[in-house]
Structure formats: structure tokens, C-alpha cells
Amino acid sequence: MLNPSTPPTQAVWLVDTSIYVYRAWHTKELPLLDQQGHPINAVRGFLRWLYAFLHENQPTQIAFAFDEAQIHSIRRNLSPSYKAQRKPVPDELKYQFQLCREFLTALGLVTYSSPQFEADDIIGTWVQQQDAHTPCHIISGDKDLMQLVRDIDVWWDYGKRPPLNEGKIKKATGVWPKQIPDQLALAGDAADNIKGIDGIGLASAAKILHKFTSIEVLFMRLPEMAQLKHLRYAKLLQERIGQQEAPLRLNKQLTKICCDVPNVPQDLKRKATDLETLSLLGEQLGLSSEQLALWAKV
């Protein structure tokens, strides 16, 4: 339990699903095939993770965000180079993503995806929908999602590391959660093909934001940057930032999570399990009757 005064059943659990499917996909195991002869290692690995997660935490309000192809996403429209280096998802993995989603739906769990918005944005919208007294447990291995953490929330890479509240995020990253988009705008994010300012890494970006709090404040007070005593080459970096105002502002648009995705489900309460569909999926995936019985009770 995260906090004895906040039972897990009172929290809203928001899962960045793709990372846990990808981790299972990259695990080296003997190949597993379903009834049609399709590989299902990623599905079976994800289900092992999912069962442990649901069994331990027993969430009553929970939702799973998925990514879709982002060819015409809001960020690609802003910057065609955004994530342009990433290879398309292989067809056999797309097939497994769909099976994972069908299994979640059979369990009565909410799922959602969008061709315009990323899973991060969907989770951000769900966080935005909660009132100030409802804690969110953001389940992800993606540190970008730390920016969503409010004073009652946690970011948690479940199964990998302990949950982090906003104070622990500050200790781990050097900035408060709401400053993470600014930090990534300055330092860049190679995973998303975002180029930052030459000579600025995450640590130096944190030093700048400790003084100026945000990109917007930095540009309002840019002449002061040359006086930063704990930042190496402060004058040179000030000049580079001054020459890159438009790209930096664009970077922040790319790194900041959108929290107003249209049409996302608002009722995140778990529904009853569809035992018939669960049984059919279990048969397709080669689950034993004992395993299906456990899933029916989880």
C-alpha cells in the first residue's frame, strides 16, 4: 500500500499500456503461438504483469491508454520530425496489442486510444478530470508522464521501482513535475527526436529552471542568465538560447502533455467480467482452465 491513509481502491489508476507490452515483446523466451499460429509472447508476458498488478492492488477505478499510429498526430502537425526516427510497429506486434486490448475489455476494464493524441495525452486528460481530492496512480515507465503528478498523485513504474510523489520526482530529476516539459525543451529528448540547446543536459537545464522556473520566464529575464554562478559557460548558453527562442518554444509544445483529449471515457469504474469472451480469448491464447479460473476472480 502506498499510503495507509489512502486505500488503493479510492485512487484512480491510469496505465500507460504500451510500455508493458513492449517489455514483454523484448523478453527473450521460446516462441509461443496462438491457435492461428501467430506469435503471442508479448500478450502472455503482458498478462503475467497484469495479473500481478490487479491481484495486488484490486483497483476499482482504472483505465488503460494505448498508442495508435501517429501519422497525423497533433505533434507531427507541429513538427514532422517528431519521432520520425522510430520504426513502424511490426504487424505481428500490432496483432498482439489488439489481443491485449480485447483481454482487458473482457475483464471489464476501460481502454482508449486516439490517432491524433498519444497515450500520455489520454492519461493527462484522465488526471485533469479528477477532483482535487482523488489521487491518481500513473503507472508507466515513461518519465515524461511525471509532469502530470500533483501533490496527491504518484508516478509508478510498477514492478520496476517504488512509486514517486512530486517531492521524490524533484529529487530524481532536479525539477518539479510541472517543469519537466521545460527541462526536456532545453535539454532535448532523443527518444522523441527533439533537439535541445547544444551544451545543455538535464542537470544544467534543472539549474536554469531553479532560477527561472519556466521557458517563458527565462526569455523574459534572459540577460540575467549570464550571472548564474553554478552554471558552466552561462554566457555562451545564454547566447545560444537567445538565438533559439522559436525552436525552444516549439520544443515545449512537443514535450508538454495535452490534457484535453476529446471523447475520452469519464466513467473509469471496472465493469463485470465478460466470462464468455474471456473463455474464448483464453482458448485462443492457450490458457489452462486453472488459469482462466484465476482470471475470472482477479
Side-chain angles (χ1 to χ4, degrees):
M1 184 171 295
L2 300 176
N3 183 336
S5 65
T6 308
T9 52
Q10 294 181 9
V12 173
W13 300 73
L14 305 170
V15 183
D16 181 16
T17 319
S18 297
I19 191 167
Y20 298 103
V21 179
Y22 271 113
R23 283 181 182 172
W25 165 258
H26 288 297
T27 300
K28 293 183 178 179
E29 295 181 346
L30 292 174
L32 296 172
L33 305 177
D34 68 4
Q35 286 180 322
Q36 287 77 43
H38 298 291
I40 54 169
N41 289 65
V43 183
R44 292 289 295 269
F46 172 70
L47 293 185
R48 286 194 295 270
W49 177 90
L50 177 67
Y51 183 85
F53 170 74
L54 294 176
H55 181 72
E56 180 174 336
N57 298 291
Q58 296 293 310
T60 57
Q61 294 189 87
I62 183 169
F64 293 76
F66 282 80
D67 283 311
E68 291 188 22
Q70 297 285 300
I71 298 171
H72 302 295
S73 72
I74 57 168
R75 290 178 181 82
R76 280 285 180 88
N77 289 339
L78 287 169
S79 174
S81 64
Y82 178 74
K83 292 187 177 180
Q85 85 286 12
R86 296 197 182 185
K87 297 179 180 178
V89 177
D91 289 340
E92 62 185 50
L93 183 53
K94 288 181 183 178
Y95 176 80
Q96 296 189 70
F97 266 112
Q98 184 58 36
L99 282 176
C100 291
R101 191 164 182 176
E102 289 174 13
F103 202 96
L104 290 166
T105 301
L107 292 174
L109 302 167
V110 174
T111 71
Y112 193 73
S113 63
S114 166
Q116 283 81 42
F117 297 90
E118 299 179 37
D120 296 11
D121 303 314
I122 295 167
I123 291 173
T125 302
W126 280 329
V127 172
Q128 187 71 25
Q129 289 175 352
Q130 309 312 313
D131 62 43
H133 305 290
T134 302
C136 293
H137 297 170
I138 299 166
I139 308 302
S140 177
D142 184 352
K143 294 180 181 180
D144 293 1
L145 281 159
M146 290 178 176
Q147 67 184 265
L148 298 174
V149 171
R150 304 167 297 168
D151 60 355
I152 58 172
D153 303 329
V154 294
W155 174 95
W156 192 3
D157 189 359
Y158 186 83
K160 286 282 187 180
R161 61 189 297 177
L164 303 180
N165 59 21
E166 63 174 2
K168 291 180 179 178
I169 290 171
K170 171 68 162 60
K171 185 175 181 180
T173 66
V175 297
W176 293 104
K178 66 181 181 180
Q179 295 177 302
I180 287 175
D182 303 87
Q183 184 184 37
L184 293 173
L186 285 164
D189 187 348
D192 291 343
N193 205 30
I194 297 173
K195 181 175 172 54
I197 300 296
D198 288 341
I200 295 182
L202 294 173
S204 51
K207 291 178 182 178
I208 293 169
L209 293 169
H210 179 73
K211 173 71 174 179
F212 299 106
T213 71
S214 71
I215 292 288
E216 291 76 17
V217 172
L218 173 60
F219 281 117
M220 290 171 58
R221 299 168 54 192
L222 190 58
E224 298 176 37
M225 185 177 160
Q227 309 304 318
L228 288 182
K229 296 180 180 179
H230 302 295
L231 181 67
R232 294 184 66 186
Y233 310 115
K235 178 62 176 176
L236 175 61
L237 295 178
Q238 174 198 356
E239 293 173 357
R240 289 178 179 174
I241 288 171
Q243 295 165 359
Q244 298 291 319
E245 180 172 354
L248 274 175
R249 291 187 184 276
L250 174 60
N251 282 0
K252 186 170 178 179
Q253 287 183 275
L254 298 174
T255 58
K256 187 175 176 61
I257 291 174
C258 172
C259 294
D260 57 356
V261 177
N263 304 318
V264 301
Q266 296 194 35
D267 182 3
L268 306 185
K269 294 184 178 66
R270 184 174 179 179
K271 311 301 188 295
T273 298
D274 182 342
L275 294 175
E276 181 178 354
T277 301
L278 183 67
S279 179
L280 291 171
L281 285 168
E283 184 178 352
Q284 181 179 351
L285 294 169
L287 300 181
S288 67
S289 57
E290 291 81 6
Q291 288 172 315
L292 275 176
L294 291 172
W295 276 112
K297 297 176 183 178
V298 71

